[in-house]
Structure formats: C-alpha cells, structure tokens
Amino acid sequence: EIPELEFEFQPMGERKIDTIYNHIASAVWNLGCYVRDAQGQLTSTVEGKILDTIMLLNKCLDVEHPFTVVVTDPTSRSLWQPITGVAVEYANDAQAEAA
C-alpha cells in the first residue's frame, strides 16, 4: 500500500524475493496492460484515473518525493534489507513475541 496515493496492490499468491521498485514497476505494467486490453470498454473518466495512477507510480519509481510503503504480512515472513528507516508494527502480541 502507498497511502499517499491511496493505492493498494496484492501479492500474486506465491512467495517472491523482490524489491519495492519491482513491485511498483509491476503495478505500472499491469495497469498499463489493463488499459490497453480494455480499450473502448472503459469510460474516459476511469481510463484517465488509471493513467493518472500510472503517472504517480512512475514518480514513486523516480523517487521525486519520499513516500510510504505499508506491508501487511499476516505470516510475518517479510524481510527488509536494509532495515534502516523501516518501522515494524505488529498486529498482536503473538507476532511481536515471535519476532
């Protein structure tokens, strides 16, 4: 989730080692494919909003401004490297103790 953009994306269901950059780039690619494949089926308003989101995500890739990434991981398997600047919040005490 990127709260500044009110944008959320979901993992594809499999475990994957990747960078935040690649997750965002994948979202840009998938949204672009969706607009292309749905050509003529989307209203101009919806298409414009999706294209605006693609533009904002691309700005995140260029790191024009700092932004926040929120990861909700009920399995507690996510790993961050480097950990500098990462704030971890646990949903419950059991997760905190396991960490």
Side-chain angles (χ1 to χ4, degrees):
E1 171 185 356
I2 302 174
E4 293 86 349
L5 305 182
E6 296 182 10
F7 182 77
E8 292 185 23
F9 46 106
Q10 299 291 319
M12 299 304 238
E14 72 254 7
R15 183 172 183 215
K16 186 175 182 181
I17 297 173
D18 214 338
T19 64
I20 292 171
Y21 183 96
N22 285 342
H23 282 287
I24 295 171
S26 177
V28 167
W29 171 261
N30 289 331
L31 287 170
C33 288
Y34 178 76
V35 169
R36 184 195 67 224
D37 293 346
Q39 197 166 22
Q41 299 173 14
L42 300 173
T43 65
S44 59
T45 302
V46 170
E47 184 175 321
K49 287 181 179 183
I50 294 171
L51 293 174
D52 287 346
T53 299
I54 291 171
M55 180 189 67
L56 292 170
L57 289 170
N58 275 316
K59 287 183 177 187
C60 288
L61 291 176
D62 294 337
V63 195
E64 290 184 11
H65 304 285
F67 61 95
T68 306
V69 175
V70 176
V71 175
T72 303
D73 179 10
T75 66
S76 297
R77 293 184 184 169
S78 293
L79 175 65
W80 295 93
Q81 291 182 339
I83 195 72
T84 306
V86 175
V88 178
E89 296 178 14
Y90 295 99
N92 58 51
D93 292 335
Q95 285 180 320
E97 290 173 15

